[in-house]
Amino acid sequence: MDEISISIEGACGIIRLTRPKTINALTPDMIGAVRYALDEWDENDAVRAVLIEGEGEKGLCAGGDVRRTRDMAMAGETRAVFSFFADEYDMNGLIGTYRKPVIALQHGIVMGGGIGISSHARYRIATPSSRFAMPEGAIGFFCDVGVNAILYKTSQARALAFLMSGQTVGAADAIALGLADTVVPEAALSGIRARLIEAAQASDPDTAITTLIQSESVDAGEADFCELADSLAPIFAGAEVKDIVEGLLDYSEDGDPGAAALYASIGRHCPTSLAAIVLSHRQARHKRDVRAILEDDLGLARYMAMRPDFAEGVRAVLVDKDKAPKWQPARLADVDTTTLQRILGEAESVG
């Protein structure tokens, strides 16, 4: 398959994403191949660890192929859209609960579905070039792929600032958010990869992998984004989305440049997306289980992907690239939060 390479080196299963021109955007076939490989290797005693990587200098993975998903949604291919998300979230859950060590090499761009395929791994290795983001609010969607199963472990302020703004953060902030474990030098990554594959053959692969990672790690630097979020914690404790947005506006008008940057980002995003992001994250903080959180994601994905805002957001960002989406509704005050709460409640009852 041209989109992905599945192989075994020694005792290590290798999942290599091979769509570098799209920064390895995930397609249904790629997701299916990952799920099949993980299922096969789970029963194969000769495979003692799994390594996930992406081809090309730009990054591991820029997310799911949302342009293709948009096309399916606009064509009324509801079953295909629902199947895509169900399969992707099943893959995320497999990685997050896998009984064998899973290692992800998170170089360059790691966004959306790229976080889903890597940050659920047991060992997440970033580099100084790594850039993490969940930009779904800009395309009329919501922050899915079970990211809330990771972010509930950090503070609400850090999580919501990251999710609502869609801002890109470096490795230090990714570590502070819980999306990565460590940073290694870019130039050393290929050598580390080879040694990780060797470590899979050790009598105790987890110990060998941990020792190797610790020996190669370098200082990640300061987590400036998380520091900013911490300073704005009272705002992100607001009961409603509008309280958070209004709080950021107040700080912005008082001359806080960090709050102003967050407000500018959030203010461009789809109002319904913002509501879904906040509601789903806060529910995840109570559920604290990856499979249950992914079930919530699936319920929301079925709703959000078929709304006009998703088609419009992808159009504005990735198709026409005019960065001028027309959201429906355009105001937070008009968002149908009752439907969002009902969907999350139904997912909870099913779970």
Side-chain angles (χ1 to χ4, degrees):
M1 185 184 298
D2 293 338
E3 300 177 334
I4 190 168
S5 170
I6 306 291
S7 62
I8 298 174
E9 295 184 32
C12 190
I14 308 294
I15 295 171
R16 182 174 178 83
L17 311 181
T18 56
R19 296 185 72 204
K21 291 182 179 179
T22 65
I23 318 180
N24 300 311
L26 297 170
T27 66
D29 286 344
M30 294 167 75
I31 290 167
V34 173
R35 293 170 67 220
Y36 182 82
L38 291 174
D39 284 340
E40 287 285 304
W41 293 338
D42 185 57
E43 302 297 327
N44 185 347
D45 292 338
V47 176
R48 307 190 64 204
V50 176
L51 185 141
I52 298 171
E53 61 185 351
E55 186 174 294
E57 296 181 358
K58 291 184 178 179
L60 169 64
C61 177
D65 193 338
V66 293
R67 290 185 65 161
R68 185 178 300 189
T69 307
R70 173 185 185 262
D71 290 343
M72 291 189 297
M74 292 183 69
E77 298 174 13
T78 306
R79 182 171 296 182
V81 173
F82 291 2
S83 177
F84 172 79
F85 289 116
D87 290 348
E88 182 178 20
Y89 301 164
D90 181 66
M91 175 190 72
N92 300 147
L94 274 173
I95 294 169
T97 59
Y98 210 60
R99 66 186 182 92
K100 299 180 182 182
V102 179
I103 311 153
L105 303 183
Q106 298 173 304
H107 81 289
I109 292 174
V110 186
M111 296 183 179
I115 286 177
I117 200 173
S118 67
S119 290
H120 290 293
R122 192 176 302 177
Y123 304 101
R124 296 86 51 89
I125 304 173
T127 70
S129 74
S130 299
R131 295 294 180 266
F132 294 75
M134 291 296 296
E136 286 77 9
I139 59 168
F141 202 54
F142 74 104
C143 299
D144 62 336
V145 298
V147 68
N148 285 316
I150 300 167
L151 293 178
Y152 78 70
K153 300 170 188 176
T154 192
S155 72
Q156 176 176 248
R158 291 182 177 189
L160 288 182
F162 178 68
L163 297 172
M164 294 177 71
S165 71
Q167 286 192 10
T168 301
V169 303
D173 280 300
I175 292 170
L177 288 164
L179 302 171
D181 294 309
T182 193
V183 178
V184 302
E186 207 86 38
L189 195 59
S190 62
I192 292 169
R193 176 191 183 277
R195 292 169 62 194
L196 286 167
I197 292 170
E198 291 176 4
Q201 302 182 61
S203 57
D204 182 353
D206 277 302
T207 298
I209 292 166
T210 300
T211 301
L212 169 57
I213 292 172
Q214 289 176 343
S215 71
E216 295 289 345
S217 296
V218 297
D219 182 21
E222 298 298 320
D224 295 332
F225 182 88
C226 287
E227 184 178 341
L228 168 63
D230 291 346
S231 73
L232 300 171
I235 293 176
F236 286 101
E240 306 288 342
V241 178
K242 66 178 181 60
D243 299 324
I244 297 172
V245 175
E246 289 171 1
L248 289 172
L249 176 59
D250 289 342
Y251 271 56
S252 301
E253 291 176 341
D254 288 340
D256 185 320
L262 287 175
Y263 177 77
S265 296
I266 293 171
R268 292 191 294 267
H269 289 175
C270 172
T272 302
S273 296
L274 293 174
I277 287 166
V278 172
L279 288 170
S280 60
H281 177 71
R282 287 179 170 169
Q283 179 149 300
R285 298 186 81 84
H286 295 290
K287 289 198 170 180
R288 307 174 74 85
D289 175 81
V290 64
R291 289 290 188 181
I293 290 165
L294 284 163
E295 192 66 36
D296 284 354
D297 285 356
L298 184 57
L300 279 177
R302 287 171 170 167
Y303 173 67
M304 298 291 288
M306 304 309 292
R307 294 186 68 254
D309 281 343
F310 178 62
E312 172 64 2
V314 175
R315 179 206 64 77
V317 174
L318 297 174
V319 181
D320 298 336
K321 301 181 181 180
D322 59 21
K323 303 294 192 294
K326 293 178 173 59
W327 304 124
Q328 302 177 37
R331 301 189 314 148
L332 279 169
D334 298 325
V335 171
D336 181 9
T337 55
T338 301
T339 296
L340 296 172
Q341 290 167 334
R342 176 182 58 77
I343 291 167
L344 289 170
E346 288 174 353
E348 187 169 13
S349 65
V350 170

